[in-house]
Amino acid sequence: MRDFKSSTIYQIYTRSFQDSSGSGQGDIRGVIRRLDYLRELGIDYIWLTPFFKSPQNDNGYDVADYLSVDPMFGTMEDVEELIAQAGKREIGCMFDMVFNHTSTEHAWFKKALEGDPAYMDYYIFRDGEPENPPTNWQSKFGGSAWEYVPHLKKWYLHLFDVTQADLNWDNPKVRRELEKVVLFWKEKGVRGFRFDVVNLISKPPLLEDDYEGDGRRFYTDGPHVHEYLQELTRNTGIDAMVTVGEMSSTSLDNCIRYSCPENRELSMCFNFHHLKVDYRGGDKWKLMEPDMAELKRLFMVWQEDMAKGDGWNAVFWCNHDQPRAISRFGDDRRYWKESGKMLATVIHMFRGTPYVFQGEELGMTNPCFESISQYRDVESTNYYQILQEQGCTAKEALYVIQNRSRDNSRTPMQWDGSRYAGFSDARPWIGIPENHTYINVEDEKKDPDSIFHYYKRLISLRKEYGVIQEGDIEFLHRSHPRILAYRRSDEENELMVWNNMGSTAAALPEPFGLWGWKLLIGNYEDEDGAGLGDDGVGKSWLRSLRPYESRVYIRNKTIENRKCE
Ligand code: TEU
């Protein structure tokens, strides 16, 4: 299996990828059926969102048994076959370990509720009066982060849904149990893991009220988190595998520590700072146009400083918790194709490991459902109410949900233009955007200029050029409002990546001489303005970029050096 620096990882939202049973829900056999597609795209690893036994209150992120497969998704044999079939295609499977919390349906929590002290110590219970939660911390899905259990006269902590109880990682027994889970899947042949909100696992010894925020500053990147991750890695031997931690509201310094090889914690981290640039006042539920200057600033800081610290980024725009990037940072109507390709170029030429979320490689968009009844996510339905309690009209609340709902990314994979998009024979569990009639795998495979073929090319370029994987990175025109330009270089090659992140043409602050440079990839069919000679090598100047235009140029340093000698 490929090392993670030259790999591209594909995220499968298992419930929405492919239904093989006619239930209207995606399943494991559906994933097996589509492995050849992923191989064609050039994918090295697939990360599957949780398919473990679960009441599905948070679509599988509420795990009731880490070692069994929810019948909704298939059987253990199906999973074993998936691992084997993926392996045959040189695709490694990464499973999603939700270790910050379990479902309240988990056997451990049930024993805790029976009052068994050993299992109560698996969770974070605190004494208290029914009307007075131990702290004022807020759940990430809205409301208090504490739930009262009358017969125990205690509260338990849930940073997410009330049915997702936080585990007590300070209890060594919990850590041993979770190591067993990792080893179980490792022995089945899994090649990597994604660890859900893993920077929230270490809570401070004293829980106190937060008068500045929702409590996150006390438990994010908590006191023992690095120690616990090192221990998990050491005791399970996963440092030879691909591991990625999802880091909520984290800091750059911590991400260096999580991902630098000498610390032996994880291969890489997800952080979300760049996906909050359209949160007004930092509030996800307050809309604003993306602040492109801030987006650029975050990319510059994280790309350059992670490299300096020998850390490694997971680079991405989309996942199952985020609206579709093309609807958010691009233009999903007028410049659908151009902006989809531009966004891909920005990420795929970065230093780090790119993640493609299912359908992103097609330019799938937000569905823009017209009624709240079409939304499924617990967070969306909660916030629809909360927004109205805060004074929004129902229409305004719906508008916010349309833009911010996690369901934006959870609609079924668009395989073809048929009624249920080739996802299922039955009515899917969630609606399908109407544009599946032309945004779909079948049509895009036929069109050599499609977003799909562009992703395919980006993925193969990373494998071909070491400079894309590990080259140094330096940004140019740092204060330009729309042009995101950077130089990558290693001993052999130099790369110049130009992106116009806006909907109108942009002049370069100074023309860029193309002599000696070769166009590696670009998102406009005609090469006007590229200044290319017949041999594809630049002969003149690049002076401006068209709306959402991307151009990547390469020049071989060794040839240049030879010329100088
Ligand atoms: O998400 C963690 C997280 O903090 C955010 O994605 C957050 O849930 C969202 O943006 C709220 O605004 C992970 C999973 O990716 C998500 O699907 C789960 O619901 C969550 O953990 C709990 O397991």
Side-chain angles (χ1 to χ4, degrees), residues 58 61 101 140-141 160 164 194 196-197 246 248 284 320-321 379 406 410:
D58 185 23
Y61 283 92
H101 42 265
K140 297 197 187 256
F141 293 161
F160 294 89
Q164 293 166 297
R194 179 244 187 204
D196 189 60
V197 287
E246 186 201 27
S248 169
K284 171 170 176 173
H320 64 293
D321 295 330
E379 187 196 57
R406 305 195 298 178
R410 298 179 179 185

Side-chain angles (χ1 to χ4, degrees), residues 205-472:
L206 279 177
L207 307 181
E208 50 186 306
D209 280 330
D210 188 353
Y211 298 109
E212 289 171 22
D214 60 5
R216 71 182 66 191
R217 68 196 172 101
F218 293 121
Y219 57 74
T220 303
D221 303 316
H224 299 288
V225 65
H226 295 283
E227 179 190 322
Y228 292 159
L229 278 172
Q230 283 165 16
E231 183 192 62
L232 177 73
T233 301
R234 195 170 54 237
N235 291 353
T236 57
I238 52 170
D239 43 352
M241 304 172 89
V242 180
T243 55
V244 55
E246 186 201 27
M247 305 303 175
S248 169
S249 304
T250 188
S251 69
L252 202 147
D253 287 344
N254 273 296
C255 284
I256 290 175
R257 291 176 66 189
Y258 292 128
S259 63
C260 70
E262 66 173 287
N263 271 12
R264 298 185 148 226
E265 295 183 25
L266 299 165
S267 317
M268 64 188 114
C269 305
F270 287 115
N271 82 78
F272 297 91
H273 297 287
H274 63 297
L275 297 175
K276 295 181 180 173
V277 297
D278 53 359
Y279 291 7
R280 184 154 49 88
D283 184 340
K284 171 170 176 173
W285 307 100
K286 292 205 173 96
L287 304 182
M288 155 179 121
E289 282 301 310
D291 178 344
M292 295 313 253
E294 176 63 1
L295 181 69
K296 260 188 78 167
R297 191 190 67 78
L298 286 163
F299 278 153
M300 293 190 286
V301 169
W302 279 81
Q303 281 290 307
E304 292 176 347
D305 292 2
M306 283 292 270
K308 276 184 213 143
D310 203 17
W312 195 256
N313 286 307
V315 292
F316 71 106
W317 286 115
C318 298
N319 71 20
H320 64 293
D321 295 330
Q322 297 291 330
R324 292 283 178 181
I326 198 166
S327 303
R328 187 174 178 188
F329 300 107
D331 177 342
D332 62 9
R333 284 152 199 262
R334 185 151 171 233
Y335 290 109
W336 168 70
K337 205 184 255 188
E338 292 81 358
S339 65
K341 291 178 181 179
M342 179 278 293
L343 291 169
T345 314
V346 168
I347 290 290
H348 284 254
M349 292 295 129
F350 271 165
R351 176 184 177 278
T353 301
Y355 282 67
V356 178
F357 177 71
Q358 63 179 54
E360 179 189 332
E361 76 282 18
L362 308 173
M364 274 178 64
T365 66
N366 288 349
C368 206
F369 292 140
E370 278 161 14
S371 151
I372 191 67
S373 65
Q374 291 170 279
Y375 287 91
R376 302 283 175 263
D377 179 25
V378 55
E379 187 196 57
S380 302
T381 48
N382 284 355
Y383 269 94
Y384 182 67
Q385 294 307 331
I386 294 171
L387 286 165
Q388 290 180 77
E389 283 157 21
Q390 289 172 350
C392 285
T393 64
K395 202 174 154 199
E396 286 162 349
L398 180 63
Y399 186 67
V400 175
I401 301 296
Q402 283 168 339
N403 282 280
R404 291 293 148 88
S405 174
R406 305 195 298 178
D407 285 336
N408 281 316
S409 56
R410 298 179 179 185
T411 60
M413 177 70 176
Q414 295 173 189
W415 297 103
D416 61 36
S418 67
R419 187 166 178 214
Y420 298 134
F423 163 71
S424 175
D425 298 331
R427 194 185 178 78
W429 69 278
I430 188 168
I432 299 180
E434 280 167 26
N435 61 27
H436 78 276
T437 51
Y438 61 94
I439 301 178
N440 64 62
V441 170
E442 193 178 56
D443 288 348
E444 293 199 31
K445 269 169 77 165
K446 283 186 222 150
D447 171 9
D449 183 45
S450 64
I451 299 181
F452 168 81
H453 282 288
Y454 195 86
Y455 267 83
K456 204 175 147 177
R457 176 114 175 90
L458 287 172
I459 293 166
S460 86
L461 286 173
R462 173 167 296 264
K463 296 193 183 35
E464 208 176 315
Y465 292 99
V467 64
I468 303 178
Q469 299 158 23
E470 292 200 69
D472 295 339

